[in-house]
Amino acid sequence: MITIPLTGTSPLSHRFSYSISPLYELAASLHTLAQPTPPERFSNWSQEKLSHLQIVRLMKDWEYFLPLFRYGIPDTFDPYQTKGVMAVNDQYEYFVTIPTDQFVRSMLPSLEAWGQHHSLPEVSEDLREDSDYVKGRFSLFVSSYWQLSFESNWEVVAPLFVKEAERIHHALEDTDSIVSLLQSILPSIRYDSDSDSLACPIEGPECEVETLILYPSHYYFSEPLLSIKEGNAHLLYSFTTPSESNKNAL
């Protein structure tokens, strides 16, 4: 259980904030494309995007890296780590400068999950034999995917993030509003009026944190994910309704 005290004279904006990561959205879109049966709201988008990867000659690289995205998203795309990585040059530099051993570690959980259902893929063997080669090829694929295929999607969905940012900003005007917003995202969050604090369910020992950072996502399609990183609470969630997705994700 995570407890977030709301007492004191500090404005709620000191307790709650939000962050947007285009690079995480790129990775979440690849996770969607890697699904044999994507979520219904992304079904048409996935078919069109896979066809487009053929047109821009990225399909071979995509099939090579697909095992890294079928059952999850590598930690190197974590929105907490990539919140300042915006333009394509920033993205390429981000992966180029990641230490190779860190890059390899971030890929292992995805490959282990893949191995529970399939034989080990080519990328797994290459990581073991020449991890620098895989890291370089991965950096090129991510930057190419952004420039040739995903950037147009980001330009379409970016206004949705602006609307969500406005919703969060307005919710910070008073306690009732922020509690209502958080409960709309994660209904299990509870407000204790006696202690003027929020209680957020999470596995592990009880702890108290000073801040909660919201990470709204368009392409993330799983249940809201609450975690603790460096003493702060982080809440990743999908904010886009099915109707908005069908209209705007293409």
Side-chain angles (χ1 to χ4, degrees):
M1 185 70 69
I2 300 173
T3 302
I4 306 174
L6 303 182
T7 54
T9 57
S10 298
L12 289 172
S13 59
H14 290 185
R15 296 284 189 185
F16 304 95
S17 62
Y18 69 92
S19 181
I20 298 169
S21 169
L23 186 53
Y24 178 81
E25 292 304 298
L26 176 150
S29 77
L30 291 175
H31 179 54
T32 299
L33 289 179
Q35 304 310 305
T37 305
E40 182 178 357
R41 66 190 180 100
F42 288 120
S43 179
N44 292 337
W45 176 85
S46 294
Q47 293 178 19
E48 293 184 10
K49 186 57 61 178
L50 290 173
S51 296
H52 189 253
L53 291 182
Q54 291 276 15
I55 295 172
V56 297
R57 299 182 180 181
L58 287 179
M59 183 56 73
K60 184 177 180 179
D61 280 330
W62 168 233
E63 291 174 345
Y64 178 79
F65 288 116
L66 184 150
L68 300 176
F69 293 93
R70 169 65 60 81
Y71 298 103
I73 298 174
D75 288 342
T76 48
F77 291 99
D78 187 301
Y80 174 65
Q81 298 183 42
T82 59
K83 57 186 178 182
V85 183
M86 303 299 286
V88 63
N89 290 338
D90 298 330
Q91 297 166 15
Y92 183 75
E93 182 179 1
Y94 172 75
F95 281 105
V96 168
T97 57
I98 288 178
T100 301
D101 58 344
Q102 179 183 335
F103 173 81
V104 173
R105 285 195 304 271
S106 74
M107 303 297 161
L108 293 181
S110 294
L111 290 173
E112 290 173 358
W114 175 272
Q116 295 176 10
H117 305 274
H118 315 273
S119 59
L120 287 180
E122 181 184 359
V123 66
S124 179
E125 298 177 6
D126 288 346
L127 269 175
R128 186 168 53 252
E129 296 177 2
D130 191 348
S131 53
D132 285 323
Y133 160 76
V134 176
K135 179 170 171 280
R137 184 174 176 179
F138 188 82
S139 301
L140 287 172
F141 169 69
V142 169
S143 61
S144 297
Y145 174 66
W146 175 274
Q147 290 178 289
L148 299 176
S149 190
F150 185 73
E151 187 172 21
S152 59
N153 293 128
W154 176 249
E155 291 174 353
V156 171
V157 302
L160 301 180
F161 284 87
V162 174
K163 291 181 179 179
E164 182 66 5
E166 292 173 350
R167 186 168 80 110
I168 295 172
H169 177 73
H170 290 314
L172 294 175
E173 294 177 356
D174 56 66
T175 299
D176 289 343
S177 296
I178 190 61
V179 171
S180 177
L181 171 67
L182 293 174
Q183 289 181 335
S184 72
I185 297 170
L186 192 63
S188 56
I189 290 179
R190 293 290 178 264
Y191 173 66
D192 186 336
S193 57
D194 292 335
S195 61
D196 194 20
S197 65
L198 290 177
C200 311
I202 189 175
E203 293 184 5
E206 294 189 9
C207 64
E208 180 178 298
V209 299
E210 294 297 319
T211 60
L212 171 64
I213 304 172
L214 300 170
Y215 297 93
S217 175
H218 175 78
Y219 290 98
Y220 177 77
F221 57 81
S222 299
E223 293 297 316
L225 180 61
L226 184 63
S227 60
I228 296 289
K229 296 183 180 74
E230 297 188 359
N232 294 319
H234 303 261
L235 181 56
L236 172 67
Y237 67 99
S238 173
F239 69 87
T240 309
T241 64
S243 60
E244 286 176 330
S245 298
N246 291 333
K247 181 175 66 175
N248 294 292
L250 301 180

